[in-house]
Amino acid sequence: MIAGECAIKKGFRVIYYDAISDSTTTPQMSAFNDMEKEFFPLKGEYGVAFLPTVEDAPKNSTEYEEAFCKYFNEISGEAIKSPYDLKFKLNLPFDILDEAVYNDNSAHGHKVGGSSDFCQYDPRETIEQQKKYDFQLLQMCSDFRSDSTKIMWGDAGICHFFINSEKLKNCDFRDVLYYCDCC
């Protein structure tokens, strides 16, 4: 699977139910042919339990990079635009810099809302796209172990659904950005 391949608004939909009944929880897999079922990322049906948590901005996020660069530039008198600019200024091996700057905090995991984790990049590349799709409706990560696979997006990837927060308040799910990428 190529990053960005799933960003096309085709082959997915988000359905809002204002009330849940037995008929709304009936599996819809019968609409798929055998090959589609085989390659479908979810290998079963799973319940969802919501637990409120607080998380910091992950170190691979735009918000973190901007804050890091601003702080570094203020205290050092240097001018960097990305933490990776330090590789050249300090002549650090990439793996040491990556560990020190990025890997301490992660946004990985299944979640509604919160910070996003990406295998490759945020599909909302422009400020306009980030404003248009400013709320992460759902993040679902691949979930596998050596003895079982429950969810597999490509090659151990992550799936996202983004929506505009005002449209979410109005229960308007007609314009949702779906994106999945993998390692």
Side-chain angles (χ1 to χ4, degrees), residues 53 55-60 105-111 113-119 136 139-144 151 153 156-160 181 183:
T53 60
E55 65 182 1
D56 295 326
K59 289 190 175 183
N60 66 347
N105 187 17
S106 171
H108 195 72
H110 310 306
K111 63 176 89 176
S115 298
S116 305
D117 187 21
F118 302 101
C119 294
Q136 178 171 254
Q139 174 175 292
M140 190 182 313
C141 298
S142 291
D143 189 343
F144 59 94
I151 303 170
W153 298 99
I158 303 172
C159 158
H160 301 273
D181 65 353
C183 304

mmCIF file of all heavy atoms in Angstrom, residues 53 55-60 105-111 113-119 136 139-144 151 153 156-160 181 183:
data_model
loop_
_atom_site.group_PDB
_atom_site.id
_atom_site.type_symbol
_atom_site.label_atom_id
_atom_site.label_comp_id
_atom_site.label_asym_id
_atom_site.label_seq_id
_atom_site.Cartn_x
_atom_site.Cartn_y
_atom_site.Cartn_z
ATOM 1 N N THR A 53 -8.423 10.376 28.624
ATOM 2 C CA THR A 53 -7.005 10.522 28.938
ATOM 3 C C THR A 53 -6.546 11.908 28.499
ATOM 4 O O THR A 53 -7.200 12.571 27.711
ATOM 5 C CB THR A 53 -6.134 9.476 28.218
ATOM 6 O OG1 THR A 53 -6.299 9.624 26.809
ATOM 7 C CG2 THR A 53 -6.498 8.062 28.611
ATOM 8 N N GLU A 55 -3.109 13.792 26.882
ATOM 9 C CA GLU A 55 -1.832 13.489 26.255
ATOM 10 C C GLU A 55 -1.146 14.771 25.818
ATOM 11 O O GLU A 55 -1.804 15.751 25.500
ATOM 12 C CB GLU A 55 -2.009 12.537 25.061
ATOM 13 C CG GLU A 55 -2.798 13.108 23.917
ATOM 14 C CD GLU A 55 -2.996 12.119 22.775
ATOM 15 O OE1 GLU A 55 -2.539 10.975 22.851
ATOM 16 O OE2 GLU A 55 -3.617 12.518 21.786
ATOM 17 N N ASP A 56 0.178 14.749 25.844
ATOM 18 C CA ASP A 56 0.964 15.860 25.325
ATOM 19 C C ASP A 56 0.986 15.783 23.810
ATOM 20 O O ASP A 56 0.748 14.724 23.232
ATOM 21 C CB ASP A 56 2.397 15.788 25.848
ATOM 22 C CG ASP A 56 2.465 15.968 27.358
ATOM 23 O OD1 ASP A 56 1.652 16.737 27.889
ATOM 24 O OD2 ASP A 56 3.330 15.324 27.988
ATOM 25 N N ALA A 57 1.333 16.891 23.174
ATOM 26 C CA ALA A 57 1.527 16.865 21.719
ATOM 27 C C ALA A 57 2.665 15.906 21.434
ATOM 28 O O ALA A 57 3.730 15.988 22.044
ATOM 29 C CB ALA A 57 1.851 18.247 21.192
ATOM 30 N N PRO A 58 2.467 14.965 20.530
ATOM 31 C CA PRO A 58 3.536 14.010 20.242
ATOM 32 C C PRO A 58 4.699 14.696 19.546
ATOM 33 O O PRO A 58 4.530 15.691 18.848
ATOM 34 C CB PRO A 58 2.863 12.998 19.314
ATOM 35 C CG PRO A 58 1.746 13.750 18.689
ATOM 36 C CD PRO A 58 1.289 14.749 19.717
ATOM 37 N N LYS A 59 5.865 14.142 19.742
ATOM 38 C CA LYS A 59 7.070 14.769 19.197
ATOM 39 C C LYS A 59 7.162 14.686 17.683
ATOM 40 O O LYS A 59 7.994 15.347 17.095
ATOM 41 C CB LYS A 59 8.304 14.163 19.854
ATOM 42 C CG LYS A 59 8.424 14.606 21.296
ATOM 43 C CD LYS A 59 9.744 14.216 21.878
ATOM 44 C CE LYS A 59 9.856 14.789 23.278
ATOM 45 N NZ LYS A 59 11.136 14.523 23.880
ATOM 46 N N ASN A 60 6.290 13.920 17.030
ATOM 47 C CA ASN A 60 6.310 13.902 15.565
ATOM 48 C C ASN A 60 5.239 14.825 14.990
ATOM 49 O O ASN A 60 4.938 14.757 13.816
ATOM 50 C CB ASN A 60 6.149 12.479 15.027
ATOM 51 C CG ASN A 60 4.795 11.888 15.334
ATOM 52 O OD1 ASN A 60 4.030 12.408 16.135
ATOM 53 N ND2 ASN A 60 4.492 10.773 14.695
ATOM 54 N N ASN A 105 7.778 10.675 23.161
ATOM 55 C CA ASN A 105 6.348 10.803 23.338
ATOM 56 C C ASN A 105 5.653 10.377 22.058
ATOM 57 O O ASN A 105 5.992 10.827 20.993
ATOM 58 C CB ASN A 105 6.005 12.261 23.676
ATOM 59 C CG ASN A 105 4.564 12.448 24.033
ATOM 60 O OD1 ASN A 105 3.867 11.486 24.331
ATOM 61 N ND2 ASN A 105 4.109 13.660 23.987
ATOM 62 N N SER A 106 4.669 9.516 22.181
ATOM 63 C CA SER A 106 4.003 8.981 21.006
ATOM 64 C C SER A 106 2.506 9.204 21.095
ATOM 65 O O SER A 106 1.936 9.227 22.178
ATOM 66 C CB SER A 106 4.286 7.480 20.902
ATOM 67 O OG SER A 106 3.503 6.897 19.894
ATOM 68 N N ALA A 107 1.874 9.340 19.951
ATOM 69 C CA ALA A 107 0.419 9.472 19.879
ATOM 70 C C ALA A 107 -0.190 8.172 19.367
ATOM 71 O O ALA A 107 -1.295 8.157 18.859
ATOM 72 C CB ALA A 107 0.053 10.640 18.974
ATOM 73 N N HIS A 108 0.540 7.072 19.499
ATOM 74 C CA HIS A 108 0.087 5.789 18.972
ATOM 75 C C HIS A 108 -1.097 5.258 19.776
ATOM 76 O O HIS A 108 -1.237 5.541 20.952
ATOM 77 C CB HIS A 108 1.235 4.780 19.012
ATOM 78 C CG HIS A 108 0.987 3.571 18.188
ATOM 79 N ND1 HIS A 108 1.001 3.595 16.817
ATOM 80 C CD2 HIS A 108 0.676 2.303 18.536
ATOM 81 C CE1 HIS A 108 0.732 2.387 16.351
ATOM 82 N NE2 HIS A 108 0.534 1.584 17.384
ATOM 83 N N GLY A 109 -1.933 4.498 19.135
ATOM 84 C CA GLY A 109 -3.039 3.820 19.802
ATOM 85 C C GLY A 109 -4.382 4.159 19.169
ATOM 86 O O GLY A 109 -4.515 5.131 18.438
ATOM 87 N N HIS A 110 -5.368 3.324 19.477
ATOM 88 C CA HIS A 110 -6.726 3.575 19.012
ATOM 89 C C HIS A 110 -7.285 4.738 19.820
ATOM 90 O O HIS A 110 -7.120 4.779 21.035
ATOM 91 C CB HIS A 110 -7.620 2.362 19.235
ATOM 92 C CG HIS A 110 -7.051 1.075 18.723
ATOM 93 N ND1 HIS A 110 -6.628 0.901 17.427
ATOM 94 C CD2 HIS A 110 -6.851 -0.116 19.334
ATOM 95 C CE1 HIS A 110 -6.201 -0.343 17.263
ATOM 96 N NE2 HIS A 110 -6.315 -0.966 18.410
ATOM 97 N N LYS A 111 -7.988 5.672 19.143
ATOM 98 C CA LYS A 111 -8.528 6.795 19.904
ATOM 99 C C LYS A 111 -9.549 7.585 19.104
ATOM 100 O O LYS A 111 -9.561 7.556 17.873
ATOM 101 C CB LYS A 111 -7.418 7.717 20.378
ATOM 102 C CG LYS A 111 -6.646 8.387 19.252
ATOM 103 C CD LYS A 111 -5.613 9.376 19.769
ATOM 104 C CE LYS A 111 -4.315 8.674 20.023
ATOM 105 N NZ LYS A 111 -3.250 9.584 20.428
ATOM 106 N N GLY A 113 -10.491 11.561 18.877
ATOM 107 C CA GLY A 113 -9.890 12.837 19.261
ATOM 108 C C GLY A 113 -8.408 12.665 19.534
ATOM 109 O O GLY A 113 -7.788 11.678 19.156
ATOM 110 N N GLY A 114 -7.832 13.645 20.195
ATOM 111 C CA GLY A 114 -6.431 13.577 20.578
ATOM 112 C C GLY A 114 -5.472 13.843 19.435
ATOM 113 O O GLY A 114 -5.860 14.194 18.325
ATOM 114 N N SER A 115 -4.203 13.669 19.729
ATOM 115 C CA SER A 115 -3.139 13.879 18.745
ATOM 116 C C SER A 115 -3.039 12.684 17.815
ATOM 117 O O SER A 115 -3.315 11.554 18.207
ATOM 118 C CB SER A 115 -1.804 14.086 19.450
ATOM 119 O OG SER A 115 -1.854 15.235 20.255
ATOM 120 N N SER A 116 -2.616 12.936 16.603
ATOM 121 C CA SER A 116 -2.522 11.891 15.586
ATOM 122 C C SER A 116 -1.113 11.337 15.493
ATOM 123 O O SER A 116 -0.144 12.049 15.684
ATOM 124 C CB SER A 116 -2.905 12.474 14.221
ATOM 125 O OG SER A 116 -4.162 13.076 14.275
ATOM 126 N N ASP A 117 -1.032 10.071 15.179
ATOM 127 C CA ASP A 117 0.234 9.416 14.907
ATOM 128 C C ASP A 117 0.209 8.986 13.446
ATOM 129 O O ASP A 117 -0.820 8.521 12.963
ATOM 130 C CB ASP A 117 0.404 8.197 15.806
ATOM 131 C CG ASP A 117 1.775 7.562 15.699
ATOM 132 O OD1 ASP A 117 2.719 8.243 15.262
ATOM 133 O OD2 ASP A 117 1.907 6.378 16.068
ATOM 134 N N PHE A 118 1.303 9.164 12.747
ATOM 135 C CA PHE A 118 1.373 8.790 11.337
ATOM 136 C C PHE A 118 2.609 7.942 11.104
ATOM 137 O O PHE A 118 3.656 8.196 11.682
ATOM 138 C CB PHE A 118 1.457 10.038 10.438
ATOM 139 C CG PHE A 118 0.298 10.975 10.628
ATOM 140 C CD1 PHE A 118 0.440 12.117 11.397
ATOM 141 C CD2 PHE A 118 -0.923 10.710 10.041
ATOM 142 C CE1 PHE A 118 -0.620 12.983 11.582
ATOM 143 C CE2 PHE A 118 -1.995 11.570 10.221
ATOM 144 C CZ PHE A 118 -1.845 12.709 10.990
ATOM 145 N N CYS A 119 2.474 6.958 10.252
ATOM 146 C CA CYS A 119 3.645 6.168 9.858
ATOM 147 C C CYS A 119 4.548 6.984 8.946
ATOM 148 O O CYS A 119 5.761 6.862 9.005
ATOM 149 C CB CYS A 119 3.222 4.896 9.133
ATOM 150 S SG CYS A 119 2.342 3.735 10.182
ATOM 151 N N GLN A 136 -9.653 14.923 14.883
ATOM 152 C CA GLN A 136 -9.464 13.515 14.572
ATOM 153 C C GLN A 136 -10.670 12.747 15.109
ATOM 154 O O GLN A 136 -10.830 12.584 16.310
ATOM 155 C CB GLN A 136 -8.183 12.992 15.211
ATOM 156 C CG GLN A 136 -7.965 11.524 14.962
ATOM 157 C CD GLN A 136 -6.607 11.093 15.420
ATOM 158 O OE1 GLN A 136 -5.746 10.855 14.595
ATOM 159 N NE2 GLN A 136 -6.387 11.000 16.707
ATOM 160 N N GLN A 139 -8.779 7.331 15.210
ATOM 161 C CA GLN A 139 -7.489 6.772 14.810
ATOM 162 C C GLN A 139 -7.521 5.308 15.205
ATOM 163 O O GLN A 139 -7.826 4.973 16.344
ATOM 164 C CB GLN A 139 -6.338 7.467 15.522
ATOM 165 C CG GLN A 139 -4.984 6.815 15.255
ATOM 166 C CD GLN A 139 -3.851 7.590 15.881
ATOM 167 O OE1 GLN A 139 -3.553 8.695 15.460
ATOM 168 N NE2 GLN A 139 -3.216 7.011 16.890
ATOM 169 N N MET A 140 -7.241 4.446 14.245
ATOM 170 C CA MET A 140 -7.223 3.013 14.505
ATOM 171 C C MET A 140 -5.900 2.457 14.006
ATOM 172 O O MET A 140 -5.569 2.580 12.826
ATOM 173 C CB MET A 140 -8.391 2.335 13.785
ATOM 174 C CG MET A 140 -8.593 0.901 14.185
ATOM 175 S SD MET A 140 -9.945 0.068 13.284
ATOM 176 C CE MET A 140 -11.274 1.225 13.373
ATOM 177 N N CYS A 141 -5.145 1.886 14.908
ATOM 178 C CA CYS A 141 -3.824 1.353 14.582
ATOM 179 C C CYS A 141 -3.896 -0.138 14.292
ATOM 180 O O CYS A 141 -4.802 -0.823 14.758
ATOM 181 C CB CYS A 141 -2.872 1.581 15.751
ATOM 182 S SG CYS A 141 -2.629 3.320 16.131
ATOM 183 N N SER A 142 -2.932 -0.637 13.544
ATOM 184 C CA SER A 142 -2.827 -2.083 13.360
ATOM 185 C C SER A 142 -2.643 -2.713 14.737
ATOM 186 O O SER A 142 -1.972 -2.151 15.604
ATOM 187 C CB SER A 142 -1.647 -2.433 12.453
ATOM 188 O OG SER A 142 -1.897 -2.020 11.135
ATOM 189 N N ASP A 143 -3.275 -3.846 14.927
ATOM 190 C CA ASP A 143 -3.259 -4.517 16.227
ATOM 191 C C ASP A 143 -2.942 -5.990 15.964
ATOM 192 O O ASP A 143 -3.796 -6.743 15.493
ATOM 193 C CB ASP A 143 -4.628 -4.366 16.895
ATOM 194 C CG ASP A 143 -4.656 -4.835 18.327
ATOM 195 O OD1 ASP A 143 -3.744 -5.579 18.741
ATOM 196 O OD2 ASP A 143 -5.603 -4.475 19.045
ATOM 197 N N PHE A 144 -1.705 -6.357 16.238
ATOM 198 C CA PHE A 144 -1.289 -7.718 15.914
ATOM 199 C C PHE A 144 -0.218 -8.191 16.885
ATOM 200 O O PHE A 144 0.484 -7.408 17.501
ATOM 201 C CB PHE A 144 -0.763 -7.809 14.477
ATOM 202 C CG PHE A 144 0.405 -6.898 14.220
ATOM 203 C CD1 PHE A 144 1.703 -7.346 14.352
ATOM 204 C CD2 PHE A 144 0.194 -5.571 13.863
ATOM 205 C CE1 PHE A 144 2.782 -6.503 14.123
ATOM 206 C CE2 PHE A 144 1.267 -4.719 13.626
ATOM 207 C CZ PHE A 144 2.555 -5.191 13.758
ATOM 208 N N ILE A 151 -6.260 -6.357 13.527
ATOM 209 C CA ILE A 151 -6.388 -5.251 12.584
ATOM 210 C C ILE A 151 -5.046 -5.087 11.876
ATOM 211 O O ILE A 151 -4.005 -5.044 12.522
ATOM 212 C CB ILE A 151 -6.745 -3.934 13.307
ATOM 213 C CG1 ILE A 151 -8.029 -4.085 14.104
ATOM 214 C CG2 ILE A 151 -6.860 -2.786 12.301
ATOM 215 C CD1 ILE A 151 -8.321 -2.908 15.040
ATOM 216 N N TRP A 153 -3.591 -2.611 8.785
ATOM 217 C CA TRP A 153 -3.670 -1.602 7.725
ATOM 218 C C TRP A 153 -2.401 -1.707 6.903
ATOM 219 O O TRP A 153 -1.340 -1.260 7.340
ATOM 220 C CB TRP A 153 -3.794 -0.194 8.322
ATOM 221 C CG TRP A 153 -5.031 -0.027 9.139
ATOM 222 C CD1 TRP A 153 -5.141 -0.096 10.489
ATOM 223 C CD2 TRP A 153 -6.352 0.220 8.646
ATOM 224 N NE1 TRP A 153 -6.441 0.086 10.865
ATOM 225 C CE2 TRP A 153 -7.215 0.287 9.746
ATOM 226 C CE3 TRP A 153 -6.888 0.387 7.367
ATOM 227 C CZ2 TRP A 153 -8.575 0.524 9.621
ATOM 228 C CZ3 TRP A 153 -8.242 0.627 7.241
ATOM 229 C CH2 TRP A 153 -9.068 0.687 8.357
ATOM 230 N N ALA A 156 1.318 -2.950 8.775
ATOM 231 C CA ALA A 156 1.365 -2.408 10.140
ATOM 232 C C ALA A 156 1.139 -0.899 10.172
ATOM 233 O O ALA A 156 1.868 -0.161 10.818
ATOM 234 C CB ALA A 156 2.673 -2.773 10.826
ATOM 235 N N GLY A 157 0.109 -0.441 9.491
ATOM 236 C CA GLY A 157 -0.165 0.989 9.390
ATOM 237 C C GLY A 157 -1.206 1.509 10.367
ATOM 238 O O GLY A 157 -1.569 0.843 11.342
ATOM 239 N N ILE A 158 -1.666 2.723 10.065
ATOM 240 C CA ILE A 158 -2.616 3.444 10.905
ATOM 241 C C ILE A 158 -3.682 4.060 10.006
ATOM 242 O O ILE A 158 -3.376 4.561 8.931
ATOM 243 C CB ILE A 158 -1.914 4.567 11.702
ATOM 244 C CG1 ILE A 158 -0.772 4.001 12.547
ATOM 245 C CG2 ILE A 158 -2.914 5.310 12.580
ATOM 246 C CD1 ILE A 158 0.086 5.066 13.207
ATOM 247 N N CYS A 159 -4.917 4.046 10.475
ATOM 248 C CA CYS A 159 -6.037 4.629 9.746
ATOM 249 C C CYS A 159 -6.565 5.833 10.524
ATOM 250 O O CYS A 159 -6.612 5.809 11.752
ATOM 251 C CB CYS A 159 -7.125 3.575 9.608
ATOM 252 S SG CYS A 159 -8.765 4.205 9.330
ATOM 253 N N HIS A 160 -6.942 6.880 9.790
ATOM 254 C CA HIS A 160 -7.480 8.103 10.402
ATOM 255 C C HIS A 160 -8.744 8.547 9.695
ATOM 256 O O HIS A 160 -8.856 8.406 8.478
ATOM 257 C CB HIS A 160 -6.486 9.269 10.267
ATOM 258 C CG HIS A 160 -5.172 9.025 10.888
ATOM 259 N ND1 HIS A 160 -4.922 9.283 12.208
ATOM 260 C CD2 HIS A 160 -4.021 8.539 10.372
ATOM 261 C CE1 HIS A 160 -3.667 8.969 12.481
ATOM 262 N NE2 HIS A 160 -3.113 8.516 11.384
ATOM 263 N N ASP A 181 -1.956 5.009 6.192
ATOM 264 C CA ASP A 181 -0.611 4.814 5.682
ATOM 265 C C ASP A 181 0.047 3.686 6.452
ATOM 266 O O ASP A 181 -0.483 3.218 7.444
ATOM 267 C CB ASP A 181 0.207 6.112 5.722
ATOM 268 C CG ASP A 181 0.488 6.632 7.118
ATOM 269 O OD1 ASP A 181 -0.046 6.090 8.101
ATOM 270 O OD2 ASP A 181 1.222 7.612 7.242
ATOM 271 N N CYS A 183 4.043 1.451 7.189
ATOM 272 C CA CYS A 183 5.514 1.513 7.241
ATOM 273 C C CYS A 183 6.142 1.187 5.919
ATOM 274 O O CYS A 183 5.617 0.582 5.087
ATOM 275 C CB CYS A 183 6.035 0.563 8.295
ATOM 276 S SG CYS A 183 5.331 0.866 9.923
#
